[in-house]
Amino acid sequence: MCKQVGCIGLLRCYRVVLPIQFHMNSLQRLKERLNRLFPAGVSFVLALLVLVPMAMLIFSSFRTGRPGMPGGAFSFINYIEAYSSLEIYITIGRSLYFAAVVTAVTLLFGGFFAWLVERTNMPGRGFAYSTLLSSMAIPRMLFGISWILLLSPRIGLINYFLENMLGLPRFNVYSMSGMIFIQILSEIPTAFLMMQGTLRGMDPALEEAASVSRSNTLSTLRKITLPIMTPAVLAAAVYLFIINIEVFEIPGLIGLPAGITLFSTAIYNNATVLVPPNHGLANSYAIAFLLASILLIVLYRKATQHSERYSTITGKGYRPRLIDLGVWRYFAFSVFMIFFVITILLPVLVLIYASLIPFYQVPSAKVFARMSLQNYVSAIEAPWMGRVLKNTLLLMVVAPTASVLLAALVAWVVHRTRINRKWKATIDILSFLPTALPSIVIALSLLVVFLNVHFIPLYGTLWIIGLAFLIRYIPYTVRTISAAVIQIHKELEESAQVCRATEIGAFFKITVPLVAPALINAWIWVAMHACRAVSAALMLYSAQNEILSTRIWLIWRDGKVPMVCALSIMMIVLLVIISFVGRRIAQAVSRR
Amino acid sequence: MDNQERASVVRVKELQKKYGTVHAVKGISFDIKEGEFYTLLGPSGCGKTTTLRCLAGLERADGGEVFVRDRLVDNGRAFIPPYQRPIGMVFQSYAIWPHMTVAGNVAFPLKNERKYSAKEIDRKVTEALDLVQLTGLGNRPAPNLSGGQQQRLALARALVAAPSVLLLDEPLSNLDAKLREEMRLELKNLTRRLGITTFYVTHDQVEALVLSDRIALMRDGKIVEEGNQYDMYMVPKYNFTADFFGVNNILSGTVIQADPVRKIAQLDLSLDTLVFAEIRDFPVEPHQKVQVAIRPENISFGSTPSMARTLDQTPGEVNTLKGVVKEFAFLGDYVDYRIAVKERMIRVRAHPEILFKENETVTLGFTPKHVCLLQSL
């Protein structure tokens, strides 16, 4: 950690230390010029990362033939081909329908849960909160797999019980409604967190003022609470909609076998599954996808800008009065118990169960008798295991390190150097733009870039996946680290300079220790996501750059359920260890 | 004043600073002598903090020259960074490093100088903490201090390395009223006792008056007027100065007669009689439009002319006006009256025992000395 930040300090120090000598020699003058160029350099790298893939995507969507191959021509043929068939319109309609339904339902549940946890006297609010939070720890791909194991028409355990115990018809998870159901379950915690933040940030005095103005609980909710929350709810809705439009795992696991393609799976299909791949078509899908995302991002920014005007945060730590639910509070709590069972207990249990048996089947005494760790043993002994593990761990170290370093540099340029406002605004937009770039689109564009650019041999390597993660997580890391740097009053660094510390000294001794927890947290977040995300890695897959998530996906395709489950449990354990150790380190650092 | 004989510690010549299109400091010059407490006073956004930051080296000047102890530290091209300047500074936010102990904060500048042994550092830190009455708190985590203690800590940290000049950027503005008054006095005693050259920036005229040997009043990036605290308050040269310090009656009118020999002018201020004023720094001629300032506390008043004895008992012209009490506010230590004299409203500050009711007729009295002729900006 210290090492990367040290580089920033070093560069930063040069900027001011060198120009001050009275009789500068030419070397120093050169260095000064370089240091003046440094903010420009950081901005340039950022622009390169964000804009080049997008430009390449647009460029090659107008080109026929395979990317990087000679003999292509420029035409609208890809667009004509894509948009003249009915299929794309069906895909668009289906994606919008999917995203709209999931967003609406998750918002409803998320909002309701947030209200229960924040504003009522429901028992076990701490348990409810940690249930919602920890259900997010299960990677979406594994969540999807576990629910297929529960609801698949052939092998699903719940279906077995439905039919044999209750005499009900089987539920076919390989359908639009199955996809929507599982996606809703996996997104409720996100919706909850966003709504909870809004509720928590609201000044209770606003509601109290209403209640002393002769307004009852219900009319206060209707006339005060909801209108104040509207911008934030809109923002949450747009954000969730973006997630649901770009989601790959659930549509890939359920929609692809069922023949129900959505946007993301259509791109995946055309670019990697089809032989030979139809990159032109995938590109024109991606462009449509991109335009839609950008539109949504603009909406999102509008919504959040508006919400700032409703700024509701106050310094006073008054907790709002809790609403008494009466007997209903036990009912409310049981909702969370059910949620805990279906989002954590059942998925994890079914994964553990399936990982211990030779082939997936309904539990019985005979099956339990044959349980063993054989699947784990064969996974560890598999010839690919060393490579996969090495790649995964390497990616989990390099991607977050690069990501945090880049974000720290960007935060430094924006908040600690004297660049003009327009420049700052440009960096701000650039670092927010990848939010509009779904992983699958980033992966596709990198594929196109490195199929064309041969002098940087990244195609098929692990680093192209790392690059995709780096780009994808720019918005998150920049936002987190910038927020931390802003918190550190500039005068803290300036006072160190006045106290005889050089800029490098001031940076090392003051700012780095103070933002270290944020740097570590951002690092862990990216590491966890690099481990669990599958879509980009799958798009950029080659025999050499296989990681744990792509290996799980591929052997799931081959139908080796017990092996998939053993690997899934290993992945979950890895994630739990990282988050536990990471949190400990962050705590230790911030307590210092 | 022996300003001429003493060596100057800080010399600023025609300092310029721009932020994009904003011209924050428009060529200001001043000289701070050894041991002097020099205050830059002005409304927010006048460029005073920018000037201080240029002095500290936290901003680079766009023009002009800054010398500290005859060493050129900034001329818009050549530049000495803050950590090579012999300065100590207290920031408005105190900028106490929260991840260090109290002693760690104070030791920081010494450790950076790399010429003291651990023992010496310990001794100097203890001395500095004693100086600001934080004795024995060295091992506390810095954030555990109260606001006033953080203030003292910041001061100790600024003083520990024995700087040539102490820079203070509105150090009292974050304290509550009572503590501010206490710290003001303490700061005064401390700087006088140490005899340290101090450069102080504030928007608070009371602070400036209490603390300073010399005050420079700034507006829009320029110094309007410079002088000792008595002159700045009692006999300002400019209307801006007269208005900035405390409450003042600023009236405009015309010169009727001017006697340069006796240094007395007669003015028409649209009051019930003409008013005598002392001619001081600049000549006036008949028919000239002028502004004058009359301090509320320099006007005495009573129900009859004889009761409105002026503060100054020396013989000569005396101004007496008749007015009607329009409003008054009892503030405890004084009564603030607003008295209508013809169309004008004059504010008078009276002892709390002098009580008049609304609409009572009163007589105001003041000497020409207290009618301060102003130049306008």
Side-chain angles (χ1 to χ4, degrees), chain A residues 202 219-232 310:
Chain A
M202 215 177 107
S219 80
T220 303
L221 183 72
R222 200 160 49 82
K223 290 181 182 156
I224 307 293
T225 316
L226 288 181
I228 288 173
M229 283 182 66
T230 304
Y310 277 69

Side-chain angles (χ1 to χ4, degrees), chain A residues 229-478:
Chain A
M229 283 182 66
T230 304
V233 173
L234 271 179
V238 176
Y239 185 79
L240 289 169
F241 196 84
I242 295 170
I243 293 181
N244 292 323
I245 272 273
E246 77 157 294
V247 66
F248 171 79
E249 289 91 340
I250 308 297
L253 286 166
I254 294 168
L256 277 184
I260 311 169
T261 44
L262 298 187
F263 246 142
S264 54
T265 42
I267 293 173
Y268 173 67
N269 245 347
N270 279 301
T272 55
V273 178
L274 285 185
V275 182
N278 190 343
H279 280 113
L281 199 57
N283 284 354
S284 34
Y285 269 110
I287 300 279
F289 203 172
L290 194 65
L291 290 178
S293 306
I294 288 176
L295 185 74
L296 286 169
I297 289 298
V298 171
L299 278 177
Y300 176 75
R301 292 218 104 175
K302 279 258 161 72
T304 46
Q305 264 168 15
H306 198 173
S307 75
E308 275 165 18
R309 240 189 291 154
Y310 277 69
S311 181
T312 49
I313 310 288
T314 55
K316 294 172 189 160
Y318 291 127
R319 298 284 297 148
R321 200 164 38 91
L322 298 179
I323 293 160
D324 187 4
L325 291 180
V327 214
W328 286 100
R329 61 207 174 111
Y330 299 107
F331 175 75
F333 180 67
S334 66
V335 170
F336 280 99
M337 284 305 293
I338 294 169
F339 191 80
F340 171 73
V341 170
I342 64 178
T343 60
I344 298 180
L345 201 62
L346 276 183
V348 172
L349 280 183
V350 80
L351 286 177
I352 293 175
Y353 166 72
S355 74
L356 295 172
I357 54 180
F359 59 93
Y360 190 62
Q361 55 190 307
V362 176
S364 65
K366 217 173 81 192
V367 174
F368 279 106
R370 292 179 59 191
M371 274 187 175
S372 72
L373 291 174
Q374 185 51 46
N375 293 315
Y376 291 92
V377 174
S378 39
I380 289 163
E381 285 176 351
W384 42 258
M385 194 56 182
R387 187 181 64 225
V388 165
L389 214 55
K390 194 188 104 198
N391 280 345
T392 308
L393 293 177
L394 204 56
L395 197 64
M396 285 173 71
V397 171
V398 175
T401 306
S403 200
V404 166
L405 179 61
L406 177 70
L409 287 173
V410 169
W412 166 69
V413 167
V414 171
H415 300 293
R416 291 292 199 258
T417 60
R418 290 178 191 123
I419 57 174
N420 64 38
R421 200 171 295 168
K422 268 188 193 155
W423 190 347
K424 269 184 197 174
T426 311
I427 292 185
D428 193 40
I429 289 169
L430 277 179
S431 55
F432 193 74
L433 203 58
T435 316
L437 297 174
S439 295
I440 205 118
V441 173
I442 292 176
L444 179 66
S445 56
L446 287 178
L447 207 63
V448 175
V449 168
F450 291 104
L451 280 172
N452 283 296
V453 180
H454 297 290
F455 57 89
I456 309 172
L458 279 188
Y459 183 76
T461 66
L462 187 62
W463 308 122
I464 192 168
I465 301 177
L467 203 56
F469 287 148
L470 176 63
I471 296 170
R472 184 70 188 92
Y473 300 133
I474 283 173
Y476 173 80
T477 48
V478 168

Side-chain angles (χ1 to χ4, degrees), chain B residues 248-251 269 271 275 294-296 299 321-327 336-349 364 366:
Chain B
N248 221 335
N249 293 298
I250 296 184
L251 308 170
L269 299 174
L271 299 169
V275 167
I294 311 166
R295 292 248 165 228
I299 303 173
L321 306 174
K322 265 201 164 30
V324 177
V325 175
K326 281 289 165 203
E327 264 180 70
D336 184 12
Y337 284 98
R338 281 180 170 76
I339 291 163
V341 181
K342 279 184 82 184
E343 308 289 279
R344 301 268 197 189
M345 202 63 87
I346 307 255
R347 287 182 77 168
V348 178
R349 188 171 283 199
L364 311 178
F366 49 93

Side-chain angles (χ1 to χ4, degrees), chain B residues 135-184:
Chain B
T135 312
L137 297 182
N139 291 326
R140 282 237 196 132
N144 289 8
L145 297 185
S146 69
Q149 287 174 323
Q150 293 206 4
Q151 166 77 74
R152 288 159 201 269
L153 171 55
L155 203 55
R157 187 177 67 188
L159 289 170
V160 73
S164 290
V165 57
L166 177 64
L167 307 176
L168 302 166
D169 182 11
E170 309 226 10
L172 303 181
S173 61
N174 280 337
L175 300 174
D176 62 58
K178 196 144 195 177
L179 204 54
R180 185 155 52 213
E181 205 171 319
E182 220 170 88
M183 279 307 294
R184 202 160 62 199

